[in-house]
Amino acid sequence: MNSSTTATRRQNAPHTSMFVRMLLRAAVMRRGRAASALVAMVVAAAVATAMLNLYIDVQAKLRKEFRNYGANVVVVGHDGQQLSSDALQNVDSVIAGHGLAVPFAYVVARTSDGQSVVVAGTDFEQVKRLDSWWSVTAWPGSASDALVGGRAANVVSPHGEAFDLSFQGKTIHLQSAGTLRTGASEDSRVYLPLQQFENWTGVQPSTIEIAATGSPEEVDSVIAKLSQALPASDARPVRQIMEGEARVLGKTRATLLAAAGLIILTSALCVLSTLIGWVLDRRRDFAIMKALGASERLISGFFAAEAAALGAVGALLGFTIGIGVAAWIGRVNFHASVIPRFNVLPPIFFGSVAVALVAAVIPMSLLRRVAPAVILRGE
Amino acid sequence: MFVRLVYESFRRQKRRKMLAAVAITLGVAVATAMIAVATDIGDKISRELRSYGANLVVTPQEDTLDLQIGGVDLKPPSDGAYLNEADLPKIRGTFWHHNIVGFAPMLPVQTSLDGKNVTLLGTYFSKQLAFGKEEFVTGVRITNPWWKVQGTWPDDNSSDVLLGETLAARQGRHVGGTIVLGNVSHRVTGILSTGGPEDNEIVAPLSLAQQVVGKPGAVRRLYVSALTKPEDALARRAPKSMTAEMYDRWYCSPYVQSIAFQLQEAIPHSHAEQIRQVAQNEGTVLSRIKGLMLLVTLASLLASALAVSAAMATAIFERRTEVGLMKALGAGNVAIAALFFVEAALLALMAGSVGFAGGMVLARQIGKSIFDSQIAIEPVLFPIVLALAVVVTFAGSAFAIRRAVKFDPVYALRGEG
């Protein structure tokens, strides 16, 4: 073995191990202070992680709540014409699980005493999910059961009795299963199961109401795809629903962002003040190292490495706890878990390390100006 | 002597107290702003939720069935009962009139344009009305904020009209043109886009629709947009089944049901009902957002408390030598602790007041930039926030003070520790 390399290695080896040993011993010997600095770091990183996670996730969570407002896209045949028989299948394949599509077919029928009433055919199972605000006394069970709107009931079946409706000479006998109240035009209609409706009238659905999930851009692309897949019909957004949602969501996110900014600022300040205290507290170590001949660079490196290590460990621990807090908030407030966002980790990690380094640099520049003798004398 | 000690300590050791003072100021400012925002967010969001449009509809009591498919009215125009336009301003006289953001009457009539049947919808755009001495403005521009007009909105007292987007495109009409209804020509001031059936209609001032149908003062339907309280068990009960006391409580709560009841009282021969799609979902969205802000506020209080405690602990820890000196001169533990606590309290009160003022400015800024309106700050918040600041400062100091007092003065003075 070459003797000169051995010498170099000897020169290097103790140096690095000494550096690591100093770092470790410093942490172990002053457990109390190091622990309090670490706790501050962990709490700050946890709060920041939870806030960022919520900020990213709240959109998806609230969008789900907003879908309770019902359809945000409708597909109608040109000039109120019927849609082709495979229209619903096409729509279902376009939205592909990212939403709900419900067909509606309408005709004007006559009651036994000659009054006109709008009769609609639809899929009750789907309507229950799409229009959760419908207030229904009882959903129809069998095929000859009808759901009668509150105002239509006064005309067709005031006491809940069975009634007849006729359309183009064909008459159907129906039971009134329940009453429907919405406060809108649905109150004046009679709803039948779609299959029963088609057998009776031979009329296909003319409207498909769709609750598409996702961001406004995703909904727009669904609309574009629907217009392509169904050239004989119009797919258009329900602006009332889309704009209301965008507005409320935007304001909520802005408020949350402001809150997150303030909270992160406060916790960064907390970390900064704790770490400055921690470093200042060790001015005697600094003085001894300097008196024993350590270069300024080495000392700066030592304190910087210590702070960076603290920042890194704190960030990782804090990230784990913060994810837990965000999940808990999701469970409590939205009854759904908040998905951990690992892309929050890099900003948290580098942010923590940066704050820790700043906290080490400020007292270092103060201490550098003081002669070691003065510090060691305890002044 | 004690007062002098505190006074001199404040006068001379400004730098050392700076960090703690900044931390308390910032902590209190953030806490104040967040509490203010959280207490006001319900009100702000429920106002934003009004952009979903009316949550109540008033119809004539003996109204016949709607024959509407896809928003197209199939009923003969003269059919059915009407509300009286002259009764509308009475809405301002109801108990909850402050909660009524706006209302818009609707009168759809059938007419023909170039030989084709079209619906002409009469309404208020932004109509000046008076109830007693009080003047107010209402109409679709307030209740239906998603209605967009390319061009200008017509004046409510003119006979100008808006054309629906689809209708205008189909007939090749543009802003500034004229249409002829009956024998009278009307100026088209704008093209209306709503994403609803109105895109296929002519929308005109209410008086014009009344002229066309020949029924002055007639209104088919009235849409009301009101700020309401989320529904609970009491709200759902029928007013007739309530005791007198319950009825008063129900009547004096802004439930959508009680506002509907009051609208029915105000407008003769009418039936008011909630539009469930809008009214029912408001409560859930509102409670989710309020819950979220509450949790976030708790997090911000925690962060502020930690920042304050950490800064206090650091500030006191730095003064070990002082403690050593005082102990060497014969001061008791109680005296030293008392000195630090009084100092901490003074610091908390001063920095807390500054922080509260800062928090007010911050809350106002948030309100202005996000919601375009003021965020109200309750004055009662001031003592609460100050008390909180003192408690947190004490808690943060207690541990550090205990350690400082227990420290052997010899080591402290020699500068070890």
Side-chain angles (χ1 to χ4, degrees):
Chain A
M1 193 173 279
N2 192 319
S3 69
S4 74
T5 47
T6 326
T8 338
R9 201 194 291 157
R10 235 181 237 153
Q11 241 173 20
N12 282 345
H15 227 88
T16 7
S17 74
M18 182 67 190
F19 192 78
V20 172
R21 203 152 99 204
M22 274 164 63
L23 276 180
L24 284 178
R25 295 296 287 175
V28 174
M29 290 298 284
R30 290 174 174 259
R31 275 192 302 278
R33 290 295 274 172
S36 75
L38 186 65
V39 165
M41 196 82 233
V42 168
V43 170
V47 170
T49 306
M51 288 306 300
L52 288 179
N53 223 324
L54 270 184
Y55 175 68
I56 295 172
D57 224 45
V58 76
Q59 192 147 322
K61 289 279 167 299
L62 280 176
R63 281 232 166 82
K64 232 168 78 194
E65 302 293 335
F66 280 115
R67 283 286 54 76
N68 287 332
Y69 274 103
N72 50 4
V73 178
V74 285
V75 173
V76 289
H78 285 309
D79 299 319
Q81 281 166 359
Q82 300 173 27
L83 296 166
S84 59
S85 51
D86 60 346
L88 186 62
Q89 272 174 4
N90 280 340
V91 170
D92 273 332
S93 70
V94 167
I95 58 175
H98 295 290
L100 197 63
V102 186
F104 288 94
Y106 299 102
V107 296
V108 177
R110 292 203 172 271
T111 60
S112 46
D113 53 1
Q115 291 220 48
S116 301
V117 63
V118 176
V119 182
T122 189
D123 182 340
F124 286 124
E125 283 311 309
Q126 299 278 67
V127 167
K128 256 188 237 180
R129 288 166 59 202
L130 179 76
D131 297 337
S132 53
W133 68 87
W134 282 22
S135 160
V136 171
T137 52
W139 287 93
S142 77
S144 64
D145 277 355
L147 186 61
V148 186
R151 286 163 66 182
N154 295 335
V155 175
V156 299
S157 141
H159 310 292
E161 66 269 28
F163 55 94
D164 289 327
L165 289 175
S166 60
F167 175 73
Q168 293 180 346
K170 282 185 174 171
T171 303
I172 190 171
H173 186 73
L174 295 165
Q175 312 287 331
S176 168
T179 321
L180 162 71
R181 288 221 158 261
T182 68
S185 50
E186 291 89 355
D187 283 1
S188 305
R189 295 178 187 151
V190 175
Y191 282 83
L192 299 183
L194 190 59
Q195 195 58 48
Q196 177 81 351
F197 180 90
E198 283 177 5
N199 291 346
W200 169 43
T201 61
V203 173
Q204 297 272 340
S206 59
T207 308
I208 298 177
E209 295 194 1
I210 300 163
T213 53
S215 64
E217 294 77 40
E218 285 167 329
V219 174
D220 280 343
S221 87
V222 165
I223 292 172
K225 277 187 218 157
L226 284 173
S227 325
Q228 230 170 34
L230 303 161
S233 57
D234 289 328
R236 54 163 200 255
V238 182
R239 284 256 304 278
Q240 179 183 7
I241 301 299
M242 302 262 290
E243 289 194 5
E245 174 180 332
R247 204 161 149 161
V248 175
L249 209 56
K251 305 266 154 153
T252 309
R253 283 197 81 191
T255 315
L256 202 60
L257 185 66
L262 288 178
I263 291 174
I264 291 173
L265 182 73
T266 330
S267 7
L269 187 90
C270 163
V271 167
L272 210 60
S273 71
T274 316
L275 283 187
I276 288 179
W278 185 52
V279 177
L280 270 182
D281 209 36
R282 301 184 45 203
R283 52 185 178 270
R284 287 169 56 84
D285 301 4
F286 175 83
I288 289 174
M289 281 158 82
K290 213 168 166 183
L292 289 176
S295 69
E296 292 239 326
R297 255 187 61 210
L298 181 74
I299 299 175
S300 305
F302 174 70
F303 277 98
E306 208 173 57
L310 189 81
V313 172
L316 289 178
L317 282 177
F319 180 78
T320 322
I321 295 172
I323 291 282
V325 171
W328 176 75
I329 289 182
R331 185 95 45 83
V332 168
N333 197 42
F334 297 106
H335 309 292
S337 57
V338 171
I339 307 140
R341 305 276 168 174
F342 287 97
N343 53 2
V344 172
L345 184 58
I348 295 287
F349 187 82
F350 292 113
S352 302
V353 173
V355 168
L357 283 179
V358 169
V361 165
I362 292 175
M364 280 298 295
S365 62
L366 286 176
L367 290 181
R368 199 170 295 159
R369 275 183 258 137
V370 189
V374 178
I375 297 175
L376 285 173
R377 226 166 53 201
E379 277 170 19
Chain B
M1 178 66 191
F2 186 75
V3 177
R4 215 163 89 199
L5 260 177
V6 173
Y7 174 72
E8 289 293 320
S9 155
F10 254 86
R11 209 168 63 100
R12 300 203 173 173
Q13 300 189 321
K14 285 203 187 95
R15 189 190 63 78
R16 285 195 170 165
K17 292 198 178 56
M18 237 7 233
L19 190 65
V22 167
I24 295 174
T25 309
L26 197 80
V28 169
V30 168
T32 308
M34 284 307 300
I35 292 173
V37 170
T39 46
D40 223 27
I41 190 98
D43 190 48
K44 292 281 176 288
I45 294 290
S46 63
R47 241 165 230 286
E48 294 301 327
L49 283 169
R50 300 294 351 99
S51 60
Y52 272 104
N55 45 4
L56 288 149
V57 60
V58 185
T59 49
Q61 210 166 32
E62 56 280 355
D63 198 16
T64 46
L65 280 189
D66 282 338
L67 282 184
Q68 258 188 6
I69 295 178
V72 179
D73 222 322
L74 308 171
K75 202 161 23 178
S78 56
D79 199 26
Y82 295 98
L83 296 170
N84 188 356
E85 188 186 353
D87 292 329
L88 302 190
K90 290 183 189 160
I91 289 176
R92 293 299 280 193
T94 57
F95 186 83
W96 280 110
H97 63 97
H98 283 303
N99 277 36
I100 290 173
V101 177
F103 58 84
M106 297 285 171
L107 178 66
V109 297
Q110 298 299 325
T111 182
S112 67
L113 179 62
D114 294 345
K116 279 196 186 122
N117 272 339
V118 287
T119 303
L120 178 114
L121 182 69
T123 187
Y124 289 164
F125 297 110
S126 170
K127 174 103 167 170
Q128 188 94 34
L129 289 175
F131 177 72
K133 280 185 190 142
E134 191 193 1
E135 294 212 337
F136 61 97
V137 173
T138 189
V140 285
R141 293 180 68 174
I142 296 167
T143 56
N144 299 12
W146 69 94
W147 282 24
K148 295 271 158 15
V149 166
Q150 180 206 335
T152 53
W153 290 86
D155 189 81
D156 276 295
N157 300 318
S158 70
S159 59
D160 298 341
V161 297
L162 293 176
L163 280 190
E165 196 174 41
T166 325
L167 183 68
R170 199 169 50 217
Q171 303 209 347
R173 291 176 191 275
H174 301 285
V175 178
T178 52
I179 56 166
V180 178
L181 298 174
N183 299 317
V184 194
S185 75
H186 300 276
R187 201 156 60 94
V188 178
T189 61
I191 304 293
L192 174 71
S193 154
T194 71
E198 297 84 6
D199 283 351
N200 244 324
E201 295 172 358
I202 304 169
V203 181
L206 185 63
S207 52
L208 180 62
Q210 288 166 349
Q211 268 172 37
V212 169
V213 78
K215 286 195 194 313
V219 169
R220 171 74 80 188
R221 237 179 253 117
L222 175 68
Y223 288 100
V224 181
S225 176
L227 299 172
T228 60
K229 184 178 166 184
E231 197 174 79
D232 54 25
L234 176 65
R236 271 181 231 115
R237 290 189 58 158
K240 277 177 194 143
S241 71
M242 292 181 195
T243 61
E245 191 198 334
M246 266 165 84
Y247 177 77
D248 284 346
R249 200 149 58 83
W250 179 82
Y251 194 89
C252 298
S253 303
Y255 295 127
V256 67
Q257 287 89 343
S258 52
I259 292 179
F261 186 78
Q262 288 158 15
L263 287 174
Q264 242 161 263
E265 283 181 338
I267 301 172
H269 308 296
S270 69
H271 173 79
E273 196 158 1
Q274 55 167 316
I275 300 175
R276 294 183 65 92
Q277 178 177 17
V278 177
Q280 291 291 305
N281 290 318
E282 246 171 49
T284 355
V285 169
L286 200 60
S287 68
R288 293 283 182 268
I289 294 177
K290 271 163 102 175
L292 181 72
M293 285 315 288
L294 184 74
L295 291 170
V296 168
T297 305
L298 284 181
S300 80
L301 290 182
L302 181 79
S304 314
L306 265 168
V308 171
S309 331
M312 281 313 287
T314 308
I316 291 173
F317 209 73
E318 266 190 39
R319 294 172 62 186
R320 282 191 312 278
T321 354
E322 217 177 303
V323 177
L325 189 62
M326 283 195 276
K327 275 181 106 171
L329 288 176
N333 285 353
V334 178
I336 295 172
L339 174 72
F340 277 114
F341 275 125
V342 169
E343 268 192 50
L346 277 178
L347 200 62
L349 288 179
M350 292 195 314
S353 305
V354 178
F356 185 79
M360 273 168 63
V361 174
L362 209 58
R364 191 151 300 177
Q365 220 51 41
I366 291 176
K368 224 165 60 188
S369 60
I370 299 178
F371 296 104
D372 284 327
S373 65
Q374 296 278 333
I375 282 186
I377 295 186
E378 304 284 333
V380 72
L381 210 58
F382 184 59
I384 296 176
V385 165
L386 270 196
L388 264 177
V390 172
V391 168
V392 167
T393 314
F394 270 18
S397 320
F399 181 68
I401 290 177
R402 216 174 61 128
R403 270 185 67 177
V405 167
K406 262 168 61 185
F407 214 65
D408 193 325
V410 178
Y411 290 116
L413 285 176
R414 225 169 56 195
E416 283 171 12

